[in-house]
Amino acid sequence: MKKGCSYGTHRVIEPKGTLPQPAQKIDNTMEIYDNEILIDVQTLNIDSASFTQIKEQANGDVEKIKDIMMDIVKTRGKHQNPVTGSGGMLIGTVEKIGPALEGKTDLKVGDKIATLVSLSLTPLRIDEILEVRKNIDQVDIKGKAILFESGIYAVIPDDIPENLALSVLDVAGAPAQTAKLVKPGDTVVVIGGAGKSGMLCLYEAKKRAGVTGTVICLGHSEKSIERAKKADLADHYIVADATNAVEVMEKVKEVTEGDMADITINCVNVPNTEMASILATKDDGMVYFFSMATSFTKAALGAEGVGKDINMIIGNGYTKGHAKISLQIMRENETLRKIYEELYA
Amino acid sequence: MKKGCSYGTHRVIEPKGTLPQPAQKIDNTMEIYDNEILIDVQTLNIDSASFTQIKEQANGDVEKIKDIMMDIVKTRGKHQNPVTGSGGMLIGTVEKIGPALEGKTDLKVGDKIATLVSLSLTPLRIDEILEVRKNIDQVDIKGKAILFESGIYAVIPDDIPENLALSVLDVAGAPAQTAKLVKPGDTVVVIGGAGKSGMLCLYEAKKRAGVTGTVICLGHSEKSIERAKKADLADHYIVADATNAVEVMEKVKEVTEGDMADITINCVNVPNTEMASILATKDDGMVYFFSMATSFTKAALGAEGVGKDINMIIGNGYTKGHAKISLQIMRENETLRKIYEELYA
């Protein structure tokens, strides 16, 4: 049996010397190396920005969506959208564990797990696409995947249904980072607050900011805002177009009485919302970009152009304990759990 | 006197609701609002991409260059090249300061300043073009410009020649951010350490990390590294290909005896160096991306993919005092000043 690198560099086909994520193409042969785990895949949870792009390219046609997905995996050996660069995650059953992992992993054959590393670096083979659930970015397949030694995962808990757990784990980084960033008394704006990751961020923000803090939910429509209101996730609700920086600034100014946000969390997966995030934030404040539609240069040059001395963070999908933190929300908030079950599970 | 918005939205003619930079046309009347600064312009430093386009369109004819420039400003109210979208910066003398800025700005009438916001958002009126210096993209004019309240600038110091000052100011954000981030005892890696912004970052990193810290310069060739060595900017020098994450990781591991970096600063303007930056950094460390070639998704998903819990920052070209901090380097380090004069001024 061949020996593998813990980061999976042994699977990179081109360009050589890179890691599996930035690689153009990786080897998706399903014969495992000594430190790999083989997964029998049940469901792919495609990254929201990626799936939106695929749906648009396919004009919503399910068969075309399937073709595009099959083509991505055939070309790259992984489900990394060539336009957005992003992936998603998967759920499946452990089928084989490489001998070099013995004593190193607590996984056993038959465990149902969600991989918490991106599909953009996960060797994947799709034999057949069984069902496309367009509204929740989930696709059931027949196929296999490989988890590298450094790859993170979560065993699906008994008290939370699979699809619900998967939906939550998909965006686990955002609420966990929020939990770590927000301090008592902070004013927090969540742009895209009524969305999948936005609602979890709001919940954590309110929990951490506490009674002395102010949490503001910004959504694109009254209808979406209603969801967040039902779960009582924020102190203020704003309906605004996140691509209109001036409108967002004025509305945040109004509810904060001119103070603006200590922390702005961008969870809205549409382009050109960098400037709204920057202008919503006070000087010396922080913008946490979780949206995969964020443009690095628009953020960097945008802040410079308006002379804003703020800390802008690239949302890291991983932080210690992120799976535990986010799954716990489903146990703590019954209303939010119901919303999640209706919309995403 | 009319009250203005700090970002200059009151000057936007069309389309309404946008900021001055994306606007098609802004108001370049030289009657100031209460929070604006009127500048008597001496020289426009046209963005290199823009000036190249203008010269080509004019077939190198100076009178035609003048006509094109006059026409841009007449049409848009600012010198934003309609083809490249870019602007440049200007040098001039403060002529009037709006009363709302009293006590807020340290500028006084008569100060010679360089504006550090783009000409693509600066209201400008050109009365006459005096001289076109085709080789260095500089144009002397008779005219006026407006600096918004949020607009950043630097007072040109007496002891640093104008062209040298401009070169340093162009990359001022990086060393100033470095100065603020690095703490005594830190291990700092600067990727692209022998480049224009990299050398200034190394200098600040060494100054702040002090005798208990370790500063590492990573460059792409022995020749470029020689420059940094001559100015004694680092404790260790590594020659490596920054797009080869594994190579960079191994070499940083070697010089840090397995510890890796507390802070990695990426100043190398080539794509696909996100992963090297991430792998060079220890868990709970920080990566500061100053390179404009940084891909947001490659950084975000890259860290997640290898399970690294690190803080990744989008390099903001502006931070308070960035001009002062960076210009001071030219006074403190004679060798570095000479290198800068030779290469960039």
Side-chain angles (χ1 to χ4, degrees), chain A residues 17 19 21 116 121 249 279 284 289 291 296 300 304 306-310 312-320, chain B residues 7 19 150 244 275 284 289 291 294 296 300-301 304-305 307-310 312-320:
Chain A
L19 285 149
Q21 210 264 336
L116 302 179
L121 62 88
M249 176 182 71
L279 292 187
D284 293 320
F289 288 104
S291 161
F296 182 90
E304 182 182 314
V306 294
K308 271 265 187 173
D309 192 0
I310 52 174
M312 296 182 288
I313 301 183
I314 297 175
N316 185 344
Y318 172 65
T319 185
K320 284 178 207 80
Chain B
Y7 302 121
L19 286 154
S150 65
N244 187 328
M275 215 55 224
D284 293 320
F289 288 103
S291 162
T294 305
F296 181 89
L301 299 174
E304 180 182 314
K308 271 263 184 174
D309 192 359
I310 52 173
M312 295 183 287
I313 301 182
I314 297 177
N316 185 341
Y318 172 64
T319 185
K320 284 180 207 78

Side-chain angles (χ1 to χ4, degrees), chain A residues 7 9 17-19 21-22 84-87 116-118 120-121 150-152 177 180 244-247 249 275 279 283-284 289-292 294-297 299-301 303-320, chain B residues 5 7 9 17-19 116-118 121 150-152 177 180 243-247 249 272 275-276 279 283-284 289-320:
Chain A
Y7 295 127
T9 54
T18 62
L19 285 149
Q21 210 264 336
T84 66
S86 55
L116 302 179
V117 282
S118 174
S120 64
L121 62 88
S150 66
I152 44 179
Q177 298 280 14
K180 292 179 182 188
N244 187 328
V246 178
E247 182 192 357
M249 176 182 71
M275 213 58 222
L279 292 187
D283 239 11
D284 293 320
F289 288 104
F290 191 73
S291 161
M292 283 297 155
T294 305
S295 153
F296 182 90
T297 47
L301 298 174
E304 182 182 314
V306 294
K308 271 265 187 173
D309 192 0
I310 52 174
N311 194 5
M312 296 182 288
I313 301 183
I314 297 175
N316 185 344
Y318 172 65
T319 185
K320 284 178 207 80
Chain B
C5 154
Y7 302 121
T9 55
T18 62
L19 286 154
L116 302 179
V117 281
S118 174
L121 61 87
S150 65
I152 45 176
Q177 298 280 15
K180 291 179 181 187
T243 65
N244 187 328
V246 178
E247 181 192 356
M249 177 182 69
N272 297 318
M275 215 55 224
L279 293 187
D283 239 11
D284 293 320
F289 288 103
F290 191 74
S291 162
M292 283 298 154
T294 305
S295 153
F296 181 89
T297 47
K298 281 181 186 166
L301 299 174
E304 180 182 314
V306 293
K308 271 263 184 174
D309 192 359
I310 52 173
N311 194 6
M312 295 183 287
I313 301 182
I314 297 177
N316 185 341
Y318 172 64
T319 185
K320 284 180 207 78

Side-chain angles (χ1 to χ4, degrees), chain B residues 275-286:
Chain B
M275 215 55 224
S277 311
I278 290 165
L279 293 187
T281 309
K282 66 175 70 164
D283 239 11
D284 293 320
M286 178 186 287

Side-chain angles (χ1 to χ4, degrees), chain A residues 185-211:
Chain A
D186 277 350
T187 297
V188 182
V189 172
V190 179
I191 298 183
K196 189 176 179 187
S197 61
M199 287 191 289
L200 300 183
C201 290
L202 281 174
Y203 180 80
E204 284 297 333
K206 210 169 174 214
K207 186 168 158 185
R208 315 286 167 168
V211 286

Side-chain angles (χ1 to χ4, degrees), chain A residues 141-320:
Chain A
I141 68 160
K142 245 187 85 180
K144 311 275 181 194
I146 297 285
L147 184 68
F148 297 132
E149 184 175 349
S150 66
I152 44 179
Y153 57 83
V155 178
I156 303 290
D158 294 334
D159 61 336
I160 296 174
E162 242 168 57
N163 278 344
L164 180 61
L166 189 57
S167 289
V168 172
L169 290 171
D170 178 39
V171 294
Q177 298 280 14
T178 302
K180 292 179 182 188
L181 287 173
V182 175
K183 282 166 195 52
D186 277 350
T187 297
V188 182
V189 172
V190 179
I191 298 183
K196 189 176 179 187
S197 61
M199 287 191 289
L200 300 183
C201 290
L202 281 174
Y203 180 80
E204 284 297 333
K206 210 169 174 214
K207 186 168 158 185
R208 315 286 167 168
V211 286
T212 57
T214 306
V215 174
I216 300 157
C217 169
L218 194 145
H220 70 286
S221 72
E222 284 293 350
K223 198 184 154 200
S224 67
I225 290 287
E226 276 315 310
R227 283 203 294 268
K229 274 187 185 165
K230 216 166 102 182
D232 191 26
L233 295 176
D235 301 301
H236 299 282
Y237 299 86
I238 296 174
V239 175
D241 173 4
T243 66
N244 187 328
V246 178
E247 182 192 357
V248 170
M249 176 182 71
E250 293 300 339
K251 288 183 171 172
V252 172
K253 194 184 270 177
E254 202 186 316
V255 298
T256 61
E257 291 168 0
D259 276 355
M260 311 311 285
D262 295 294
I263 300 176
T264 300
I265 297 167
N266 185 323
C267 290
V268 62
N269 273 326
V270 293
N272 296 318
T273 63
E274 297 85 0
M275 213 58 222
S277 311
I278 290 164
L279 292 187
T281 309
K282 66 174 70 161
D283 239 11
D284 293 320
M286 179 186 284
V287 180
Y288 170 54
F289 288 104
F290 191 73
S291 161
M292 283 297 155
T294 305
S295 153
F296 182 90
T297 47
K298 280 182 187 164
L301 298 174
E304 182 182 314
V306 294
K308 271 265 187 173
D309 192 0
I310 52 174
N311 194 5
M312 296 182 288
I313 301 183
I314 297 175
N316 185 344
Y318 172 65
T319 185
K320 284 178 207 80

